[in-house]
Amino acid sequence: MMNDVLLEIKNLRTYFKLHEGILKAIDGVSLAIGRNRVLGIVGESGCGKSVTARSILKLVPAPGKIEGEIWFHGGEKPVNLAALPPTGNAIRDIRGREIAMIFQEPMAAFSPVHTIGDQISEAIQTHQSLPKPEARGRTIEMLKQVGIPIPERRVDNYPHQMSGGMLQRAMIAMALSLRPKLLIADEPTTALDVTIQAQILRLMKRLQAELGMSIIFITHDLGVIANMADDVAVMYLGRVVEYGTVRQIFENPQHPYTQALMQSIPKLGSKGRGRLASIEGTVPVPLDPPRRCGFADRCVHFIPGRCDADVPPLIDTEAGHQVRCILYE
Amino acid sequence: MLNYVLRRLLYMVFTLVALSVVVFIIIQLPPGDYLTTYVASLQAQGTTVDDQEVAALRARYGLDASPIEQYWLWITNFVRGDMGRSFAYNRPVAELLADRLPLTIMLSVSTLFFVYLVAIPIGVYSALRQYSVGDYLLSIIGFIGMATPNFMLALILMYFFFKYFGISVGGLFSSEYVLEPWSLAKVWDMLQHLWVPVLVIGTAGTASIIRVMRSSLLDELGKQYVVTARAKGLSERRLTFKYPVRIAINPIVSTIGWQLPHIVSGETIIAIVLSLPTTGPLIYGALLNQDMFLAGSIVMMLSILTLIGTLISDILLVLVDPRISFEKKA
């Protein structure tokens, strides 16, 4: 299915060495993102979605250590991002220009004491030698493209003068100002209210089609995934537990965790009067985790001696559909 | 902005009126007045003083009037620019201040610059290299600086320089220049003397601003907008100075006004130890002698300076932080 791969993550492990032990935020993630496709990564808080996203651009805070391979096929030659030094020129050339990122809190993501225009122009000028007036012109054009009214005025606004939705649009404008091949969106709509959410999602879809880029869309909202993604990776405790096309995941969820997630979606017009299904327990903290299925403690199909014996392998159940669960062996 | 400044200047007038009352009351609080002190010291020397003579003097200086009348006399003259006469020096207060106030201002401003120029870079370094050897070393030096009394440091420096280099570091001028009129050579001579008091007075302030800068920057370094800047592909150095450092400096800018009183009061003891020709020793002597016009005028002048300092730092804060606006929203 995926012969035109843009980014390939192989056995990614991001560990944080803490006083209390080794926190394995990501423990062996392998993923591939095709050109022009949208990959959705879903999971509860603490499952490693955001760390995966940040690992790609080497933005993991200290004392995080990244191991494994992240191959980017956007340039002339494939580059292994995981092997690049995090403050070196090589990764800095890719950040913003080839791979851009947008964040969850648009209010916090802009510096409060610089204008929006200044911060967007800076992104442009970091990668292109463009005189100031031209960069400003491009900025205004980008703001217009993301649907900000009166961009000539807005360009000189400070973040506190704009609403959350406007700021997220500005953030998208900044991320797309250099036409990146890959956009990483880390919960871009979580902090916004629902109507604004829908607007932002529509905008992202439109721009993805227009500009022809790939998107990694990280969220805990399955509705958003169904709306946005072509492919879906479900993450749990630092690992991908199920991967497939959006159709496969929603119509035939196979991992007990994915199934439980699907059952926890409230359905409009359903007759049931009972409580909304929820998953018992919480995601444990992966501090020196034992080698076992991470979901075993919360799983209704738990098999003693099997699930807690080793980490289950990823098993192909149909073309392009993989599950990390021994039930499918 | 102009509106705001004008409004602030108006408030300053009210503050000063209130302040002048407090200052006057405090100066009047100790029992007796200048003449009681004067008579006591004459008697201590064995001179007998005629009661009638004292009463005549008291009437001449206006000391027999009620406190309210005395206040009124003092403050109305003060506003007109006549600060009265110093009893102890037998010279107009204005003349005494003209000698010393400019030197105090210059010393304070130099110290302020010294404090910021040293403390901000060190604070930034300490935050960026948190828990490194350099950070620990600078923190230790900072704490020692904060804990050492200024006058102690002054004495140690004086001893050290005299013992090993045979130089006297007291005063602001070499002996041959003290009575000279101002000239380039005199200014140069003063600059050579200036660094010792600046260092001594500035040490404690420097140490505390290092701590403020360090913790304020540490707070900012983890913020989301720093990650955003990094994700744009900016170099670490550029993004650090453009974003977190720039924002971490705000609380320091806004407290410039608070530094001035610290410096001025810290200066008093140092000026006595190092025999500096500033207002410090003058006010100390004036308070001891109950030389009320002199003491009152100095305190008033220093208060005015402090208020101006506060206003300047408020204006600076508006300039550095666009989120702050004193204008009423239209």
Side-chain angles (χ1 to χ4, degrees):
Chain A
M1 170 208 72
M2 219 176 275
N3 35 27
D4 198 10
V5 170
L6 179 66
L7 187 86
E8 208 179 353
I9 301 173
K10 283 183 183 165
N11 196 18
L12 178 70
R13 290 165 319 243
T14 303
Y15 295 167
F16 294 82
K17 220 178 227 163
L18 306 175
H19 275 301
E20 299 89 340
I22 294 178
L23 183 87
K24 299 190 172 178
I26 302 179
D27 200 7
V29 163
S30 297
L31 281 172
I33 299 106
R35 266 177 228 276
N36 239 327
R37 287 183 80 85
V38 177
L39 170 72
I41 302 182
V42 246
E44 284 167 270
S45 321
C47 72
K49 314 178 292 255
S50 291
V51 181
T52 306
R54 292 188 179 207
S55 297
I56 296 172
L57 279 179
K58 308 228 42 166
L59 293 173
V60 176
K65 260 191 94 75
I66 300 170
E67 284 168 46
E69 295 167 38
I70 302 170
W71 289 97
F72 180 64
H73 300 278
E76 285 167 24
K77 272 192 299 185
V79 200
N80 180 9
L81 304 181
L84 299 177
T87 54
N89 285 328
I91 189 75
R92 276 177 32 216
D93 279 346
I94 289 172
R95 284 179 193 156
R97 181 161 65 183
E98 304 283 353
I99 305 177
M101 196 161 173
I102 57 180
F103 301 94
Q104 179 172 346
E105 302 268 1
M107 290 286 188
F110 280 109
S111 153
V113 301
H114 298 86
T115 61
I116 299 295
D118 175 76
Q119 297 181 62
I120 300 178
S121 305
E122 183 185 38
I124 299 171
Q125 286 181 303
T126 302
H127 296 288
Q128 293 179 353
S129 50
L130 214 61
K132 249 203 164 113
E134 263 93 299
R136 188 184 155 87
R138 275 272 288 284
T139 303
I140 294 174
E141 204 178 297
M142 282 312 299
L143 290 176
K144 200 165 159 185
Q145 212 173 346
V146 297
I148 289 181
I150 340 175
E152 313 77 37
R153 288 244 309 270
R154 286 296 187 180
V155 72
D156 293 321
N157 272 181
Y158 288 97
H160 69 276
Q161 296 167 312
M162 294 169 82
S163 67
M166 278 301 161
L167 281 176
Q168 197 58 291
R169 285 172 192 266
M171 193 79 213
I172 293 171
M174 180 158 88
L176 301 186
S177 59
L178 288 149
R179 302 272 169 124
K181 297 188 177 74
L182 174 64
L183 174 69
I184 303 173
D186 187 359
E187 307 237 16
T189 56
T190 307
L192 307 174
D193 53 50
V194 189
T195 47
I196 309 292
Q197 241 183 58
Q199 290 174 13
I200 296 287
L201 292 178
R202 231 174 298 141
L203 172 72
M204 289 184 70
K205 258 182 131 164
R206 196 193 86 214
L207 291 171
Q208 193 242 342
E210 277 177 24
L211 303 176
M213 59 179 171
S214 308
I215 298 181
I216 297 181
F217 201 102
I218 294 166
T219 180
H220 61 266
D221 187 335
L222 287 164
V224 170
I225 286 287
N227 197 341
M228 291 293 294
D230 300 312
D231 306 299
V232 180
V234 181
M235 282 190 72
Y236 191 84
L237 206 63
R239 294 194 190 100
V240 174
V241 293
E242 186 163 359
Y243 177 88
T245 63
V246 70
R247 188 161 276 263
Q248 285 167 339
I249 298 288
F250 277 85
E251 288 178 0
N252 181 22
Q254 293 180 327
H255 195 281
Y257 176 62
T258 317
Q259 290 169 351
L261 275 184
M262 294 296 167
Q263 275 158 21
S264 66
I265 306 175
K267 285 181 188 64
L268 211 61
S270 67
K271 294 256 164 61
R273 294 201 167 188
R275 292 168 65 91
L276 194 60
S278 65
I279 309 173
E280 287 290 314
T282 51
V283 186
V285 177
L287 252 185
D288 296 317
R291 289 203 58 81
R292 57 192 296 217
C293 172
F295 192 59
D297 294 335
R298 301 168 77 186
C299 186
V300 286
H301 304 291
F302 175 63
I303 306 167
R306 293 280 283 115
C307 296
D308 50 8
D310 200 359
V311 179
L314 262 183
I315 299 160
D316 285 293
T317 53
E318 53 185 317
H321 196 169
Q322 297 168 313
V323 183
R324 196 183 282 282
C325 181
I326 56 153
L327 292 175
Y328 298 90
E329 264 179 355
Chain B
M1 190 68 190
L2 188 70
N3 254 332
Y4 169 73
V5 173
L6 289 178
R7 206 163 62 229
R8 278 291 298 267
L9 287 172
L10 187 71
Y11 293 158
M12 264 168 71
V13 172
F14 290 115
T15 315
L16 282 174
V17 169
L19 219 82
S20 68
V21 174
V22 175
V23 165
F24 189 81
I25 292 173
I26 290 175
I27 290 170
Q28 293 283 328
L29 270 184
D33 51 36
Y34 174 70
L35 281 178
T36 356
T37 323
Y38 181 63
V39 168
S41 71
L42 283 182
Q43 278 166 345
Q45 288 163 21
T47 319
T48 45
V49 187
D50 182 14
D51 276 352
Q52 258 182 336
E53 202 180 324
V54 172
L57 276 171
R58 186 159 277 141
R60 221 181 87 201
Y61 288 133
L63 293 174
D64 54 351
S66 75
I68 294 171
E69 281 173 315
Q70 284 188 40
Y71 171 75
W72 187 247
L73 190 72
W74 172 60
I75 201 65
T76 46
N77 283 332
F78 188 89
V79 171
R80 272 186 252 125
D82 174 10
M83 297 186 224
R85 254 185 116 76
S86 158
F87 303 135
Y89 291 85
N90 201 17
R91 281 174 68 193
V93 169
E95 236 179 81
L96 286 167
L97 284 186
D99 279 352
R100 289 175 176 242
L101 201 57
L103 289 174
T104 300
I105 294 174
M106 192 207 54
L107 187 61
S108 305
V109 172
S110 313
T111 308
L112 209 59
F113 272 103
F114 165 80
V115 166
Y116 285 92
L117 282 179
V118 173
I120 292 176
I122 293 181
V124 169
Y125 172 87
S126 273
L128 294 180
R129 302 262 183 283
Q130 193 189 11
Y131 303 138
S132 68
V133 178
D135 176 29
Y136 280 124
L137 208 68
L138 289 166
S139 293
I140 291 171
I141 295 173
F143 279 129
I144 292 175
M146 218 144 104
T148 312
N150 282 347
F151 67 90
M152 183 81 161
L153 188 62
L155 289 173
I156 291 170
L157 276 179
M158 280 169 84
Y159 172 80
F160 183 83
F161 276 94
F162 192 75
K163 172 130 199 209
Y164 294 98
F165 300 103
I167 314 172
S168 162
V169 291
L172 271 182
F173 306 100
S174 306
S175 47
E176 63 265 35
Y177 285 109
V178 171
L179 296 172
E180 287 279 304
W182 283 100
S183 65
L184 270 181
K186 186 169 176 176
V187 171
W188 176 240
D189 178 66
M190 181 187 73
L191 288 180
Q192 284 174 313
H193 283 80
L194 191 61
W195 69 271
V196 177
V198 163
L199 184 75
V200 171
I201 302 166
T203 304
T206 307
S208 74
I209 288 188
I210 289 175
R211 302 311 294 172
V212 174
M213 186 68 214
R214 179 178 181 273
S215 66
S216 159
L217 182 54
L218 280 176
D219 275 351
E220 295 299 325
L221 282 176
K223 293 263 174 86
Q224 178 69 59
Y225 66 83
V226 182
V227 182
T228 308
R230 204 169 279 141
K232 285 197 272 196
L234 289 182
S235 71
E236 280 304 302
R237 178 182 288 266
R238 259 208 71 189
L239 76 88
T240 307
F241 283 95
K242 178 162 180 190
Y243 296 107
V245 170
R246 166 76 177 66
I247 293 170
I249 273 180
N250 288 359
I252 290 183
V253 169
S254 61
T255 51
I256 285 180
W258 307 352
Q259 288 291 319
L260 277 178
H262 278 296
I263 290 173
V264 169
S265 59
E267 185 250 17
T268 303
I269 299 170
I270 303 310
I272 293 166
V273 174
L274 290 175
S275 53
L276 304 177
T278 56
T279 50
L282 205 60
I283 189 174
Y284 178 72
L287 289 174
L288 277 186
N289 295 330
Q290 299 198 6
D291 193 350
M292 66 176 216
F293 293 129
L294 183 57
S297 302
I298 296 177
V299 174
M300 281 306 286
M301 292 309 288
L302 296 181
S303 308
I304 293 171
L305 284 181
T306 307
L307 287 179
I308 291 175
T310 317
L311 178 63
I312 289 175
S313 70
D314 282 353
I315 292 172
L316 279 177
L317 194 61
V318 177
L319 294 180
V320 297
D321 194 336
R323 286 169 297 180
I324 294 169
S325 160
F326 294 119
E327 309 293 330
K328 288 212 173 74
K329 290 267 156 61

